[in-house]
Amino acid sequence: MRALIVDDEELARHVIRELLQSHTEIESRGVREWYGGGKGGCEHKPNLIFLDVQMPKLTGFDVLELIRYRCRP
């Protein structure tokens, strides 16, 4: 399984990465982080997204919409 972490705070991303280490079904190489720019995780094709809902410029739902829009074929 592949996970995508979307959070503007480095500490929060770090905590999620640590928590995921005990879950063998999520491969460590399958965890990616995204907080702006690029294709927004499309190339990663995540099965699971950890999404911060309250961020300074965009809400987590705005980011989710951006990811969805950028991942269209």
Side-chain angles (χ1 to χ4, degrees):
M1 210 190 305
R2 293 172 304 277
L4 177 65
I5 302 170
V6 180
D7 199 308
D8 61 315
E9 297 179 34
E10 174 61 35
L11 180 59
R13 294 191 308 268
H14 177 76
V15 168
I16 294 170
R17 280 194 312 270
E18 282 191 357
L19 291 171
L20 290 176
Q21 287 178 357
S22 65
H23 294 275
T24 57
E25 67 274 14
I26 300 174
E27 55 183 288
S28 61
R29 293 172 303 163
V31 177
R32 296 287 185 268
E33 298 175 20
W34 183 77
Y35 40 93
K39 296 191 84 159
C42 296
E43 64 280 355
H44 183 56
K45 297 182 177 145
N47 306 100
L48 180 63
I49 299 176
F50 292 89
L51 183 63
D52 181 3
V53 177
Q54 294 183 348
M55 293 188 287
K57 294 184 180 180
L58 298 171
T59 70
F61 296 108
D62 293 335
V63 172
L64 191 59
E65 191 62 33
L66 279 173
I67 292 171
R68 195 178 99 181
Y69 175 76
R70 290 178 180 180
C71 292
R72 289 183 184 162

